[in-house]
Amino acid sequence: MSETEMLLKGYGVTLAEFFYRMPDYRSVLNSFVWQDYDQAPDHPRLFGFVEFWQAEMDGPLHSVRFTHRKLIAPGQWRHVTGEFTLH
């Protein structure tokens, strides 16, 4: 699916910052920034990545902070099938 198709189907950009503990030094926090197209309010890709992190990564998550923004709203785009020119 192309970016335009995704945006027209309601996807938006989700940006998440993951704070996790270092595997060898549990008192040290590190951060990782993740960005992808996702659908609000369910955020299936974000929660899928969180599940992947918890299953596969050694550093346990401390917290996740995220934001979501739709790039195209219904009132900002419209499909035009014809154009009439008057004088």
Side-chain angles (χ1 to χ4, degrees), residues 31-43:
S31 67
F32 174 77
V33 176
W34 176 88
Q35 179 178 328
D36 201 357
Y37 290 108
D38 208 355
Q39 285 185 319
D42 297 332
H43 299 287

Side-chain angles (χ1 to χ4, degrees), residues 9 15 20 24 26 28 33 36 39 41 44 58-59 63 78 85:
K9 290 184 177 184
L15 178 70
Y20 62 97
D24 296 335
R26 295 298 170 126
V28 177
V33 176
D36 201 357
Q39 285 185 319
D58 291 334
S63 60
R78 60 188 173 129
T85 305

Side-chain angles (χ1 to χ4, degrees), residues 24-79:
D24 296 335
Y25 303 98
R26 295 298 170 126
S27 60
V28 177
L29 282 178
N30 204 358
S31 67
F32 174 77
V33 176
W34 176 88
Q35 179 178 328
D36 201 357
Y37 290 108
D38 208 355
Q39 285 185 319
D42 297 332
H43 299 287
R45 290 188 180 186
L46 174 61
F47 291 130
F49 186 76
V50 169
E51 290 173 1
F52 166 78
W53 186 290
Q54 291 174 338
E56 302 294 329
M57 304 301 272
D58 291 334
L61 285 175
H62 175 268
S63 60
V64 178
R65 182 172 59 173
F66 73 96
T67 184
H68 178 82
R69 170 86 171 142
K70 280 192 171 185
L71 298 178
I72 296 179
Q76 295 176 332
W77 186 86
R78 60 188 173 129
H79 181 69

